[in-house]
Amino acid sequence: MIRTLLILFVLSLLTPAGFCAEQSFDLAVYPTVAWQGKVVAVRLISAESVSEVSGSFLGNKFNCYRSGDDYQGVVGVPIDQKVGHYDLKLFITKNDGTKTEISKKMKVWETRFPFSRFWLKPARNKLRARNIINNEWAEIEQVLQVEGQEKLWQGKFSWPVKARVSQGFGHREIINGKRAGNHRGLDIAVISGTKIIAPNSAKVVFAKRLKAFGGTLVLDHGQGIHTLYFHLSKLIAKVGDEVGKGELIALSGNSGISSGAHLHWGMSAHNLRVDPLQWTKYEI
Ligand SMILES: [Zn+2]
Protein backbone atom coordinates (compact mmCIF):
# COMPACT_ATOMS: atom_id res chain seq x y z
CA MET A 1 0.00 0.00 0.00
CA ILE A 2 2.76 2.38 0.99
CA ARG A 3 4.57 1.38 -2.18
CA THR A 4 1.50 2.19 -4.34
CA LEU A 5 1.10 5.58 -2.64
CA LEU A 6 4.76 6.29 -3.20
CA ILE A 7 4.47 5.45 -6.91
CA LEU A 8 1.37 7.67 -7.20
CA PHE A 9 3.25 10.49 -5.44
CA VAL A 10 6.22 10.21 -7.79
CA LEU A 11 3.88 10.13 -10.81
CA SER A 12 2.13 13.27 -9.56
CA LEU A 13 5.50 15.05 -9.47
CA LEU A 14 6.20 14.06 -13.06
CA THR A 15 2.86 15.33 -14.42
CA PRO A 16 2.92 18.98 -15.46
CA ALA A 17 0.17 19.87 -13.01
CA GLY A 18 0.45 23.61 -13.70
CA PHE A 19 -0.51 23.23 -17.33
CA CYS A 20 -4.29 23.35 -17.17
CA ALA A 21 -6.25 25.63 -19.49
CA GLU A 22 -5.76 28.76 -17.37
CA GLN A 23 -2.08 28.16 -16.74
CA SER A 24 -0.49 27.26 -20.02
CA PHE A 25 2.48 29.48 -19.34
CA ASP A 26 5.23 29.61 -16.77
CA LEU A 27 7.93 32.24 -16.39
CA ALA A 28 11.38 31.33 -15.08
CA VAL A 29 14.08 33.93 -14.28
CA TYR A 30 17.79 33.68 -13.55
CA PRO A 31 19.13 34.96 -11.24
CA THR A 32 16.02 35.25 -9.08
CA VAL A 33 17.13 38.64 -7.72
CA ALA A 34 17.63 41.58 -10.10
CA TRP A 35 20.92 43.22 -9.14
CA GLN A 36 21.61 46.82 -10.14
CA GLY A 37 23.81 46.87 -13.26
CA LYS A 38 23.34 43.17 -14.04
CA VAL A 39 20.97 41.28 -16.34
CA VAL A 40 18.14 38.85 -15.75
CA ALA A 41 17.64 35.96 -18.17
CA VAL A 42 13.94 35.28 -18.76
CA ARG A 43 12.45 32.02 -20.03
CA LEU A 44 8.85 31.40 -21.03
CA ILE A 45 7.86 27.78 -20.64
CA SER A 46 4.77 27.25 -22.73
CA ALA A 47 2.36 24.36 -23.11
CA GLU A 48 0.76 26.07 -26.11
CA SER A 49 2.40 27.11 -29.32
CA VAL A 50 2.94 30.84 -29.51
CA SER A 51 4.03 33.11 -32.35
CA GLU A 52 5.56 36.09 -30.55
CA VAL A 53 6.83 37.00 -27.08
CA SER A 54 8.14 40.30 -25.77
CA GLY A 55 8.74 41.63 -22.28
CA SER A 56 8.95 44.73 -20.14
CA PHE A 57 10.85 45.36 -16.90
CA LEU A 58 11.70 48.66 -15.17
CA GLY A 59 10.58 50.56 -18.27
CA ASN A 60 12.89 48.55 -20.56
CA LYS A 61 11.27 46.61 -23.37
CA PHE A 62 12.89 43.46 -24.74
CA ASN A 63 12.15 40.78 -27.32
CA CYS A 64 12.16 37.08 -26.51
CA TYR A 65 13.39 34.52 -29.01
CA ARG A 66 12.61 30.88 -29.61
CA SER A 67 15.02 28.50 -27.94
CA GLY A 68 14.01 24.86 -28.38
CA ASP A 69 10.43 24.61 -27.12
CA ASP A 70 10.74 27.76 -24.99
CA TYR A 71 11.21 31.48 -25.51
CA GLN A 72 14.16 33.33 -23.97
CA GLY A 73 15.05 36.96 -23.42
CA VAL A 74 17.57 39.06 -21.52
CA VAL A 75 16.86 42.34 -19.74
CA GLY A 76 19.21 44.69 -17.90
CA VAL A 77 18.71 46.42 -14.56
CA PRO A 78 19.69 50.13 -14.56
CA ILE A 79 22.64 50.93 -12.30
CA ASP A 80 20.60 53.56 -10.43
CA GLN A 81 17.33 51.61 -10.16
CA LYS A 82 15.69 52.13 -6.76
CA VAL A 83 15.72 49.03 -4.60
CA GLY A 84 12.24 47.45 -4.35
CA HIS A 85 9.81 45.02 -5.92
CA TYR A 86 8.78 45.45 -9.55
CA ASP A 87 6.68 43.53 -12.09
CA LEU A 88 8.44 41.74 -14.92
CA LYS A 89 5.86 41.24 -17.67
CA LEU A 90 5.74 39.03 -20.73
CA PHE A 91 3.36 39.76 -23.60
CA ILE A 92 2.44 36.63 -25.52
CA THR A 93 0.79 36.34 -28.93
CA LYS A 94 -0.61 32.86 -29.40
CA ASN A 95 -0.70 31.05 -32.74
CA ASP A 96 -4.43 31.79 -33.11
CA GLY A 97 -3.67 35.53 -32.81
CA THR A 98 -5.07 36.00 -29.30
CA LYS A 99 -2.90 37.86 -26.81
CA THR A 100 -2.24 37.28 -23.15
CA GLU A 101 0.27 38.47 -20.56
CA ILE A 102 1.91 36.99 -17.48
CA SER A 103 3.99 38.69 -14.82
CA LYS A 104 6.30 37.98 -11.91
CA LYS A 105 7.34 40.19 -8.99
CA MET A 106 11.09 40.69 -9.03
CA LYS A 107 13.20 42.09 -6.24
CA VAL A 108 15.73 44.72 -7.33
CA TRP A 109 18.67 44.62 -4.97
CA GLU A 110 21.62 46.88 -4.32
CA THR A 111 25.04 46.37 -5.91
CA ARG A 112 27.81 48.21 -4.03
CA PHE A 113 29.63 50.63 -6.30
CA PRO A 114 32.81 52.02 -4.70
CA PHE A 115 34.32 55.42 -5.50
CA SER A 116 37.32 55.60 -7.80
CA ARG A 117 39.47 58.69 -8.19
CA PHE A 118 41.75 59.53 -11.08
CA TRP A 119 43.38 62.52 -12.76
CA LEU A 120 43.25 63.57 -16.39
CA LYS A 121 45.76 65.92 -17.99
CA PRO A 122 44.16 69.13 -19.46
CA ALA A 123 44.45 67.89 -23.08
CA ARG A 124 42.58 64.68 -22.16
CA ASN A 125 40.10 66.45 -19.91
CA LYS A 126 39.05 68.69 -22.84
CA LEU A 127 37.73 65.59 -24.62
CA ARG A 128 35.04 65.33 -21.92
CA ALA A 129 33.19 68.30 -23.47
CA ARG A 130 29.46 67.48 -23.60
CA ASN A 131 29.13 68.10 -27.34
CA ILE A 132 31.99 65.71 -28.19
CA ILE A 133 30.70 62.92 -25.94
CA ASN A 134 27.05 63.37 -26.99
CA ASN A 135 27.84 63.33 -30.72
CA GLU A 136 30.11 60.31 -30.50
CA TRP A 137 27.76 58.42 -28.22
CA ALA A 138 24.80 59.10 -30.56
CA GLU A 139 26.84 57.50 -33.34
CA ILE A 140 27.61 54.39 -31.25
CA GLU A 141 24.01 54.15 -30.06
CA GLN A 142 22.79 53.79 -33.63
CA VAL A 143 24.39 50.34 -33.81
CA LEU A 144 23.38 49.37 -30.25
CA GLN A 145 19.74 49.86 -31.21
CA VAL A 146 19.93 47.37 -34.09
CA GLU A 147 18.83 43.94 -32.90
CA GLY A 148 19.87 40.90 -34.93
CA GLN A 149 17.36 38.03 -34.69
CA GLU A 150 19.96 35.28 -34.52
CA LYS A 151 21.78 34.44 -31.28
CA LEU A 152 25.47 34.40 -32.18
CA TRP A 153 26.98 33.92 -28.70
CA GLN A 154 27.27 30.55 -27.03
CA GLY A 155 28.09 29.73 -23.44
CA LYS A 156 30.05 31.99 -21.13
CA PHE A 157 32.00 34.97 -22.44
CA SER A 158 35.77 34.85 -22.10
CA TRP A 159 37.77 37.94 -21.10
CA PRO A 160 38.89 39.96 -24.16
CA VAL A 161 42.27 40.11 -22.39
CA LYS A 162 43.03 38.64 -18.98
CA ALA A 163 44.75 41.09 -16.63
CA ARG A 164 44.14 43.14 -13.48
CA VAL A 165 40.89 45.14 -13.31
CA SER A 166 41.87 48.79 -12.75
CA GLN A 167 38.29 50.02 -12.44
CA GLY A 168 35.16 47.91 -12.04
CA PHE A 169 31.73 48.36 -13.56
CA GLY A 170 29.53 50.99 -11.92
CA HIS A 171 32.30 52.64 -9.88
CA ARG A 172 31.43 56.20 -8.92
CA GLU A 173 34.09 58.26 -10.65
CA ILE A 174 35.78 61.32 -9.19
CA ILE A 175 37.75 62.94 -12.00
CA ASN A 176 40.22 65.73 -11.13
CA GLY A 177 38.56 66.03 -7.72
CA LYS A 178 34.98 66.40 -9.05
CA ARG A 179 32.18 63.84 -8.95
CA ALA A 180 31.49 62.46 -12.44
CA GLY A 181 29.07 59.70 -13.45
CA ASN A 182 29.18 55.95 -12.90
CA HIS A 183 31.67 53.92 -14.90
CA ARG A 184 29.71 51.96 -17.55
CA GLY A 185 32.29 49.29 -18.29
CA LEU A 186 35.20 47.28 -16.96
CA ASP A 187 38.74 48.67 -17.22
CA ILE A 188 41.47 46.09 -17.72
CA ALA A 189 45.04 47.32 -17.14
CA VAL A 190 47.19 46.29 -20.10
CA ILE A 191 50.09 48.04 -21.83
CA SER A 192 49.41 49.57 -25.27
CA GLY A 193 49.65 47.05 -28.09
CA THR A 194 48.21 44.09 -26.13
CA LYS A 195 46.14 41.66 -28.20
CA ILE A 196 42.36 41.92 -27.68
CA ILE A 197 40.22 38.94 -28.65
CA ALA A 198 36.48 38.52 -29.28
CA PRO A 199 35.00 37.12 -26.03
CA ASN A 200 32.30 35.31 -27.99
CA SER A 201 31.08 34.94 -31.58
CA ALA A 202 29.76 38.13 -33.12
CA LYS A 203 29.56 40.44 -36.10
CA VAL A 204 31.61 43.67 -36.13
CA VAL A 205 29.19 46.61 -36.44
CA PHE A 206 31.36 49.63 -35.53
CA ALA A 207 35.08 50.30 -36.01
CA LYS A 208 36.23 53.92 -35.88
CA ARG A 209 38.72 56.29 -34.26
CA LEU A 210 36.80 58.68 -32.00
CA LYS A 211 38.02 61.64 -29.93
CA ALA A 212 36.41 60.84 -26.57
CA PHE A 213 36.41 57.03 -26.71
CA GLY A 214 39.55 56.67 -28.81
CA GLY A 215 39.89 53.66 -31.10
CA THR A 216 36.44 52.05 -30.79
CA LEU A 217 35.01 48.67 -31.77
CA VAL A 218 31.48 47.34 -31.21
CA LEU A 219 30.57 43.67 -31.62
CA ASP A 220 26.96 42.54 -32.16
CA HIS A 221 26.31 39.15 -30.52
CA GLY A 222 22.69 39.10 -31.71
CA GLN A 223 19.31 39.42 -29.99
CA GLY A 224 20.14 42.86 -28.54
CA ILE A 225 23.49 41.99 -26.94
CA HIS A 226 26.59 44.03 -27.86
CA THR A 227 30.11 44.43 -26.45
CA LEU A 228 32.19 47.63 -26.71
CA TYR A 229 35.96 48.24 -26.73
CA PHE A 230 37.44 51.73 -26.18
CA HIS A 231 40.88 53.42 -26.17
CA LEU A 232 42.30 50.97 -28.76
CA SER A 233 45.58 51.70 -30.56
CA LYS A 234 44.80 49.53 -33.59
CA LEU A 235 41.53 48.27 -35.06
CA ILE A 236 42.09 44.91 -36.72
CA ALA A 237 38.53 43.62 -37.32
CA LYS A 238 36.45 45.57 -39.84
CA VAL A 239 32.74 46.41 -40.02
CA GLY A 240 30.91 43.40 -41.49
CA ASP A 241 33.49 40.84 -40.30
CA GLU A 242 32.13 37.77 -38.55
CA VAL A 243 34.45 36.91 -35.69
CA GLY A 244 34.67 33.71 -33.68
CA LYS A 245 35.33 33.42 -29.95
CA GLY A 246 39.05 33.99 -29.33
CA GLU A 247 39.72 35.73 -32.65
CA LEU A 248 42.04 38.75 -32.63
CA ILE A 249 40.02 41.96 -33.11
CA ALA A 250 42.27 44.85 -31.98
CA LEU A 251 45.30 46.05 -30.03
CA SER A 252 44.77 47.90 -26.77
CA GLY A 253 45.91 51.49 -26.31
CA ASN A 254 45.58 54.73 -24.41
CA SER A 255 43.54 56.89 -26.84
CA GLY A 256 40.65 59.21 -25.91
CA ILE A 257 39.57 60.02 -22.34
CA SER A 258 42.10 57.82 -20.60
CA SER A 259 44.48 58.37 -17.70
CA GLY A 260 46.74 55.43 -18.64
CA ALA A 261 46.96 52.44 -20.97
CA HIS A 262 44.01 50.07 -20.53
CA LEU A 263 41.10 48.40 -22.28
CA HIS A 264 37.60 49.65 -21.47
CA TRP A 265 35.25 46.70 -22.02
CA GLY A 266 31.55 47.52 -22.14
CA MET A 267 28.46 45.34 -22.46
CA SER A 268 25.06 46.44 -23.69
CA ALA A 269 21.72 44.64 -23.33
CA HIS A 270 19.03 46.29 -25.47
CA ASN A 271 21.01 49.54 -25.31
CA LEU A 272 21.44 49.50 -21.51
CA ARG A 273 25.00 49.23 -20.14
CA VAL A 274 25.51 46.22 -17.86
CA ASP A 275 28.43 44.50 -16.10
CA PRO A 276 30.40 42.23 -18.50
CA LEU A 277 31.75 40.17 -15.57
CA GLN A 278 28.36 38.50 -15.02
CA TRP A 279 28.63 37.08 -18.55
CA THR A 280 32.08 35.59 -17.89
CA LYS A 281 30.85 33.77 -14.77
CA TYR A 282 27.45 32.50 -15.89
CA GLU A 283 25.98 31.17 -19.10
CA ILE A 284 23.24 33.59 -20.14
ZN1 LIG B 1 36.49 52.55 -18.55
Side-chain angles (χ1 to χ4, degrees):
M1 176 66 181
I2 289 172
R3 201 168 166 187
T4 318
L5 280 175
L6 196 66
I7 290 166
L8 282 173
F9 174 68
V10 170
L11 278 176
S12 76
L13 288 180
L14 294 173
T15 342
F19 290 167
C20 55
E22 293 85 358
Q23 283 186 310
S24 306
F25 304 106
D26 201 7
L27 199 172
V29 290
Y30 184 81
T32 49
V33 170
W35 298 93
Q36 292 168 337
K38 305 265 198 300
V39 297
V40 174
V42 182
R43 179 185 281 260
L44 174 76
I45 301 147
S46 170
E48 288 183 43
S49 38
V50 299
S51 63
E52 210 178 288
V53 183
S54 65
S56 163
F57 186 47
L58 308 168
N60 301 310
K61 298 208 179 323
F62 59 99
N63 286 321
C64 294
Y65 298 89
R66 182 174 280 286
S67 166
D69 288 339
D70 304 333
Y71 271 79
Q72 282 186 348
V74 178
V75 63
V77 182
I79 220 164
D80 50 4
Q81 182 64 48
K82 230 176 135 222
V83 165
H85 290 85
Y86 299 89
D87 282 329
L88 189 157
K89 287 184 182 170
L90 285 188
F91 308 100
I92 303 157
T93 307
K94 296 185 198 174
N95 269 0
D96 63 5
T98 56
K99 292 175 192 291
T100 186
E101 67 175 70
I102 55 170
S103 70
K104 193 181 194 90
K105 270 276 184 259
M106 287 289 295
K107 182 179 181 177
V108 170
W109 204 239
E110 189 184 1
T111 303
R112 296 224 169 253
F113 299 120
F115 284 103
S116 66
R117 292 172 172 77
F118 59 95
W119 291 85
L120 285 172
K121 289 177 182 164
R124 299 281 185 149
N125 204 31
K126 267 189 199 161
L127 302 173
R128 292 173 63 216
R130 266 292 128 210
N131 64 323
I132 301 178
I133 292 186
N134 287 352
N135 286 342
E136 292 189 348
W137 187 250
E139 210 179 327
I140 294 173
E141 232 175 2
Q142 281 185 5
V143 299
L144 299 183
Q145 285 165 353
V146 177
E147 192 158 318
Q149 301 294 297
E150 196 190 339
K151 182 186 173 188
L152 301 178
W153 84 89
Q154 273 184 336
K156 290 179 192 171
F157 278 62
S158 55
W159 288 55
V161 59
K162 191 79 175 120
R164 178 179 67 87
V165 171
S166 51
Q167 200 193 169
F169 178 84
H171 282 204
R172 292 179 281 179
E173 296 182 326
I174 297 170
I175 306 174
N176 296 356
K178 283 187 193 147
R179 178 81 173 90
N182 287 66
H183 186 226
R184 307 287 165 136
L186 186 79
D187 286 350
I188 307 173
V190 279
I191 57 164
S192 289
T194 305
K195 286 177 180 168
I196 305 301
I197 58 156
N200 219 317
S201 300
K203 196 171 151 186
V204 181
V205 288
F206 191 97
K208 198 172 175 180
R209 295 188 170 277
L210 300 175
K211 285 182 184 164
F213 305 104
T216 300
L217 264 186
V218 179
L219 302 187
D220 181 354
H221 300 279
Q223 301 188 348
I225 306 303
H226 295 80
T227 49
L228 303 93
Y229 308 82
F230 294 163
H231 315 303
L232 302 167
S233 62
K234 190 174 181 188
L235 309 169
I236 293 169
K238 292 176 182 61
V239 171
D241 284 356
E242 285 175 13
V243 292
K245 189 174 186 174
E247 205 170 306
L248 179 67
I249 51 169
L251 299 181
S252 71
N254 186 22
S255 53
I257 306 167
S258 173
S259 61
H262 73 284
L263 171 74
H264 171 103
W265 183 28
M267 186 116 202
S268 175
H270 308 286
N271 199 18
L272 182 78
R273 251 53 61 213
V274 292
D275 189 355
L277 272 191
Q278 185 185 11
W279 296 71
T280 64
K281 291 177 184 162
Y282 306 99
E283 203 172 304
I284 294 164

